[in-house]
Amino acid sequence: SLYGHMIPTDTYPFPERYRCLRAGDVVGAIGDARPAPHIHFEIRTTGPDIPGPGYSIQSPAELGWLQPSRFILNWQTWLLSAHRWHVQLPEDNRLVTPPLILDDGSMLLASRDRLRYASADGRILWRIILDQTPVALTLVDRRPVVVYPNGNLQFINLDASLGERWSVSVPLQSPALPFADRLLFHSADDTLLALTPDRRQIAWQQSGIPPFVRAYVAPAAIGLITAGNTLYALSHEGALLATIPLDSLAFIGAAPDGRLLYYTQNGFAAIDSTGNQSQVISGLPGTPDESALVFNPLGAFYFWGGGTSRTLNAIGSDGSLLWQTPLPEVVGRAELALYDGVLLLITGQGNLVALQADTGLICNRSRFYADNHASLSYTLTPDGILRLATPDQITGLDWRTFIGACAA
């Protein structure tokens, strides 16, 4: 690390070279550098004692400079005792679709021009150069398949070769949405279509659906929210049930009875399998694009308001407030999950918080680098590893180690 544009003062002289420092020690003052007093902070892999060029046409990463915020935030997670492995991808080979996790925990990773196969502990075992940028990875009869934008699909063999290729004769776009044993895609002509379980035929299609940026499959209906903040609700057979304009990008999920749930007007409304809508929960002020909700089997639920509230609330089945936990520094598009009595709150800005569902006490927390506008996926796999995937990295955390005493 390098701190530039600093000066020593009588109160804060520079420490002697090689002196040990502790967190919180003041090592100098901000210098009066152009265009205004500021600190020039770098993380670099070369030339530790040589001043940098300041500006360069060549990519800073190629010259040995790393993005400081990315480096620091990622190491906050990588230094955890729960950290087991991570896969860091080159900047020009970011993931274009969520990782495909196989039964043994190994992973297939698709980027712009290549396919990578990683072991269950995060080691890249091989790469395949692709002739197109994939739009999805999926399984057919437990065998991995890559999906291309021209409507071609192809088996992936785990010996680093590609197998049979076939076509559904329709251009396909990301993201792909799995539901039941089918796979849902959007096409360039604003048509939504579902592929059959063998991925060789179109099971159904519905025209007039713009590209979606948020999606959820509830037992009663499929919910899609477009970039224009319109919610489209469809049956599992492709019938359009409802079209609902929203004020902003909102949370969608499932109610305990299987209805499609969405945030609206300081509460949640639901859509059933016939398209009927009704208000389910009211009086929950929050920010639609940052709010999140998850139910527990006893009828209570947990609500994250985001925005100005930034408080996690536990609400009983009778509507009573069971507990509240303020988390003022947690920001970004949020998701909530419940794993064996432990709540996981994760946001698009890289916040990761585990809390006891019964009490709201924080079990552990961390931060990793993430872009609120980029894709973020996570899953707790049967081997007990929580896998966090952003476009440029996948991190594996041992879940029981991360939640500590809450595991009891």
Side-chain angles (χ1 to χ4, degrees), residues 21-26:
L21 297 171
R22 292 177 296 182
D25 286 351
V26 178

Side-chain angles (χ1 to χ4, degrees), residues 30-87:
I30 296 175
D32 188 9
R34 294 178 300 169
H38 68 279
I39 286 292
H40 180 103
F41 178 57
E42 296 180 1
I43 297 290
R44 52 165 69 187
T45 62
T46 185
D49 298 314
I50 302 172
Y55 300 93
S56 171
I57 295 176
Q58 192 173 352
S59 168
E62 296 175 1
L63 297 173
W65 278 264
L66 305 179
Q67 187 174 340
S69 56
R70 184 190 305 269
F71 181 90
I72 292 171
L73 290 176
N74 283 340
W75 276 101
Q76 288 187 21
T77 294
W78 296 346
L79 288 172
L80 292 174
S81 59
H83 174 266
R84 292 296 175 264
W85 50 263
H86 62 269
V87 179

Side-chain angles (χ1 to χ4, degrees), residues 45-290:
T45 62
T46 185
D49 298 314
I50 302 172
Y55 300 93
S56 171
I57 295 176
Q58 192 173 352
S59 168
E62 296 175 1
L63 297 173
W65 278 264
L66 305 179
Q67 187 174 340
S69 56
R70 184 190 305 269
F71 181 90
I72 292 171
L73 290 176
N74 283 340
W75 276 101
Q76 288 187 21
T77 294
W78 296 346
L79 288 172
L80 292 174
S81 59
H83 174 266
R84 292 296 175 264
W85 50 263
H86 62 269
V87 179
Q88 185 75 54
L89 298 172
E91 184 66 26
D92 62 345
N93 266 266
R94 294 159 63 91
L95 295 179
V96 295
T97 186
L100 180 65
I101 302 172
L102 305 181
D103 290 341
D104 62 356
S106 61
M107 301 166 287
L108 284 162
L109 314 173
S111 59
R112 176 176 51 85
D113 63 353
R114 66 196 63 196
L115 190 67
R116 290 175 170 86
Y117 178 58
S119 62
D121 57 359
R123 291 172 292 122
I124 301 294
L125 302 181
W126 51 252
R127 300 170 181 82
I128 299 175
I129 304 298
L130 301 174
D131 56 9
Q132 297 181 63
T133 298
V135 295
L137 296 172
T138 186
L139 291 171
V140 174
D141 295 330
R142 307 178 75 87
R143 293 180 61 190
V145 170
V146 57
V147 184
Y148 299 106
N150 62 0
N152 286 341
L153 295 89
Q154 190 168 26
F155 280 118
I156 305 166
N157 302 318
L158 298 186
D159 62 358
S161 64
L162 294 172
E164 177 195 1
R165 180 183 288 218
W166 67 95
S167 177
V168 294
S169 302
V170 177
L172 304 173
Q173 295 178 333
S174 293
L177 180 64
F179 74 101
D181 54 1
R182 297 180 179 180
L183 196 62
L184 197 65
F185 280 99
H186 188 269
S187 67
D189 61 352
D190 281 354
T191 297
L192 198 67
L193 54 91
L195 299 185
T196 54
D198 64 4
R199 312 295 190 245
R200 294 177 182 268
Q201 304 290 331
I202 297 174
W204 54 258
Q205 53 187 347
Q206 177 65 249
S207 60
I209 307 293
F212 57 90
V213 295
R214 187 172 288 188
Y216 192 88
V217 178
I222 302 168
L224 308 171
I225 299 182
T226 68
N229 300 323
T230 297
L231 170 62
Y232 289 85
L234 299 99
S235 72
H236 285 214
E237 292 73 39
L240 183 61
L241 302 176
T243 302
I244 304 167
L246 303 173
D247 293 334
S248 63
L249 188 65
F251 168 88
I252 47 176
D257 59 6
R259 288 183 294 171
L260 182 69
L261 201 68
Y262 66 98
Y263 187 88
T264 177
Q265 299 176 350
N266 288 344
F268 288 87
I271 303 173
D272 64 18
S273 59
T274 65
N276 290 326
Q277 305 170 44
S278 60
Q279 192 77 10
V280 177
I281 305 169
S282 58
L284 294 177
T287 302
D289 59 340
E290 292 188 2

